[in-house]
Amino acid sequence: MVNSPFPFGRFKNNEFEWNHVRMKFLEVPQIVWGLNNQKIAFARACLTARMLNRSLLMPSLSASLFYKEIDQLEPISFDKVFNFERFNSLCDGFVRVSRYSDVGNRSNVIEVQKGSGRRWTLERDLDQLKEFSKRDYDAYETIRVVGKNPFLWHDHWPVSDYAKVFECLVLVDEISKEANEVVSKIREFGSEVKNGSSSYQTPYVAIHMRIEKDWMIHCKNRERRSNLTNICSSKEEITTRVANIPALKPPTTLYLAVANELLEDDSILNGWKEGMHPVDKKRLGLTEIYKNHSYLIQAAIDYEVCLNADVFVGNSYSTFSSLLVLERTQKIIKTGISHACGNNVRWPSYAYNIEGESGGPQLWMTNLSDSSLQAISYGSNSVSCRIV
């Protein structure tokens, strides 16, 4: 990563203080695709702004997946999903997001085109960023980058830098409360199936069931292109591997995070091991909560539900699953544990598309020493129970 002299602020007591009088800004295109693709794109834009010693102007997110809901592809402001003040408070001294009202002279802007194509290498991209930080560009209050979605920009930062940005993303209260309502419903369901001990709380396992028809088309094409066989998982494979997780004892509640409208059959609640009690949005009576929101908000609610589960099981080629495991890994590390191998840790995560111990899914922690976000952005079958 390029080190900058930070002319628009100063370090004080190891914290960075922004100089609001001389603040400079970076503006990026609308951020699109799935929830976690958008989170990665946002983090990459933040880190680009940091490299250029600028504050990121609050970008527009996208309320829907454009290939599913073309008529609903309208921008949604970042602060309608994530808490703007909380973000800047948590990320103070690392990155910063600004409102357009913070811009002093909106005409003092230079528009630049981000490079693209096969010839636009990682090195050329880094050279362009270095050029943007030079004095010629420093004269402009705002650098406006046009072109492709920031998710597709080259990646110059380690996983640990992205993790710092993700930790600052806190949902607005309205969405957070609805996610908490879903968790409460799952816990209530678990209390109805618990054993005779009044002190026993039935754990809930969140399973990111990537078996929808659009995913199966995508993953089978990817398996064919990459000559791999462990990207797709059938419902039968998932149910079998979850049943073989050694630490799970009945009764256990299973929350199935799935896009029900994209399933080819409605048997998702059937076929689970005795003592495992599956529920989905419909069975919990929560379909109206989800229907009232755009795709992006629905995904954000499900993400929080999975993040707070006692156990999470997902697909290592899913960005949604991969970012969840990153955050859950950080939670584990904060308890002083550096790996989940053979440990009865809190908040364990598993990859059901990779076979692990006793025919169960592979224990999964994020490698925080990776030099880029490649494995999280595009998936990997290199899954470990260690962070390094």
Side-chain angles (χ1 to χ4, degrees):
M1 187 174 72
V2 174
N3 294 318
S4 68
F6 292 104
F8 310 123
R10 60 174 181 162
F11 278 100
K12 182 179 180 181
N13 297 325
N14 294 321
E15 294 292 332
F16 189 75
E17 293 184 346
W18 292 89
N19 184 339
H20 292 269
V21 177
R22 302 183 59 203
M23 184 82 75
K24 300 294 178 71
F25 306 96
L26 177 71
E27 183 179 356
V28 300
Q30 179 178 347
I31 292 173
V32 299
W33 298 346
L35 168 69
N36 291 288
N37 296 101
Q38 293 190 50
K39 288 167 70 173
I40 289 171
F42 169 78
R44 190 160 293 155
C46 281
L47 294 171
T48 301
R50 173 181 165 84
M51 179 181 282
L52 302 181
N53 197 27
R54 289 174 177 261
S55 176
L56 178 68
L57 284 173
M58 187 165 62
S60 293
L61 306 178
S62 298
S64 69
L65 289 169
F66 67 91
Y67 57 86
K68 291 179 184 175
E69 302 166 299
I70 296 175
D71 59 325
Q72 295 182 36
L73 183 57
E74 56 186 54
I76 180 171
S77 177
F78 171 86
D79 61 356
K80 298 298 182 183
V81 183
F82 299 105
N83 188 311
F84 174 84
E85 290 77 15
R86 188 76 174 135
F87 179 86
N88 279 338
S89 174
L90 292 172
C91 265
D92 185 38
F94 188 64
V95 296
R96 183 180 181 85
V97 175
S98 295
R99 299 185 185 276
Y100 278 82
S101 58
D102 294 328
V103 179
N105 183 355
R106 297 199 180 189
S107 63
N108 186 18
V109 56
I110 183 170
E111 193 169 278
V112 296
Q113 178 78 40
K114 202 84 166 93
S116 61
R118 291 184 179 180
R119 294 185 178 181
W120 190 256
T121 62
L122 185 73
E123 293 74 19
R124 289 185 66 184
D125 190 75
L126 184 58
D127 287 342
Q128 184 188 52
L129 290 178
K130 291 177 180 177
E131 190 68 26
F132 290 167
S133 64
K134 290 182 178 179
R135 184 166 298 178
D136 289 348
Y137 290 91
D138 189 41
Y140 295 95
E141 187 172 3
T142 302
I143 294 178
R144 177 184 297 141
V145 179
V146 297
K148 57 189 179 181
N149 171 21
F151 182 86
L152 297 174
W153 294 0
H154 280 295
D155 184 3
H156 303 287
W157 300 275
V159 170
S160 56
D161 279 0
Y162 284 97
K164 289 178 183 178
V165 178
F166 295 142
E167 278 194 300
C168 303
L169 290 171
V170 177
L171 292 175
V172 296
D173 288 345
E174 178 188 355
I175 302 173
S176 181
K177 287 177 182 177
E178 297 203 334
N180 289 338
E181 183 177 343
V182 177
V183 171
S184 295
K185 288 285 188 180
I186 296 171
R187 295 289 188 196
E188 287 174 14
F189 178 88
S191 69
E192 296 173 3
V193 299
K194 70 180 180 180
N195 62 17
S197 172
S198 59
S199 63
Y200 178 83
Q201 183 181 49
T202 304
Y204 86 85
V205 181
I207 306 173
H208 185 214
M209 297 276 289
R210 294 286 7 219
I211 57 173
E212 304 95 337
K213 54 190 177 184
D214 65 327
W215 168 261
M216 297 307 290
I217 292 171
H218 164 75
C219 72
K220 287 176 181 177
N221 286 336
R222 187 165 180 187
E223 282 187 339
R224 184 166 54 252
R225 292 194 308 268
S226 57
N227 198 29
L228 295 172
T229 59
N230 59 357
I231 300 177
C232 304
S233 288
S234 65
K235 176 200 161 190
E236 291 70 28
E237 182 177 73
I238 297 171
T239 57
T240 299
R241 288 188 174 164
V242 170
N244 290 329
I245 296 177
L248 290 186
K249 307 298 180 186
T252 298
T253 304
L254 308 178
Y255 174 70
L256 310 182
V258 64
N260 296 73
E261 67 276 9
L262 294 176
L263 294 174
E264 293 190 309
D265 65 67
D266 58 1
S267 66
I268 190 171
L269 298 179
N270 302 327
W272 296 91
K273 180 181 177 181
E274 184 177 355
M276 293 185 170
H277 304 274
V279 293
D280 58 5
K281 303 173 186 67
K282 185 176 181 180
R283 187 168 184 179
L284 291 171
L286 297 170
T287 52
E288 289 306 311
I289 285 182
Y290 285 85
K291 282 183 179 179
N292 290 335
H293 293 297
S294 65
Y295 154 78
L296 186 70
I297 307 304
Q298 292 179 30
I301 293 172
D302 253 2
Y303 186 92
E304 286 298 300
V305 174
C306 293
L307 181 63
N308 288 287
D310 299 292
V311 179
F312 173 70
V313 190
N315 187 302
S316 67
Y317 281 89
S318 160
T319 309
F320 185 99
S321 292
S322 296
L323 275 192
L324 271 166
V325 174
L326 170 58
E327 287 205 52
R328 291 172 67 88
T329 297
Q330 289 176 289
K331 289 173 68 174
I332 293 172
I333 291 171
K334 288 177 181 177
T335 67
I337 295 174
S338 61
H339 67 83
C341 310
N343 288 344
N344 186 23
V345 300
R346 292 186 66 187
W347 311 299
S349 301
Y350 298 83
Y352 57 64
N353 58 306
I354 301 174
E355 186 173 0
E357 177 186 350
S358 304
Q362 173 64 45
L363 265 169
W364 184 8
M365 292 184 77
T366 299
N367 183 355
L368 294 176
S369 66
D370 271 353
S371 60
S372 78
L373 209 66
Q374 175 75 21
I376 291 175
S377 298
Y378 298 102
S380 171
N381 60 5
S382 180
V383 170
S384 171
C385 54
R386 298 182 181 277
I387 62 171
V388 292

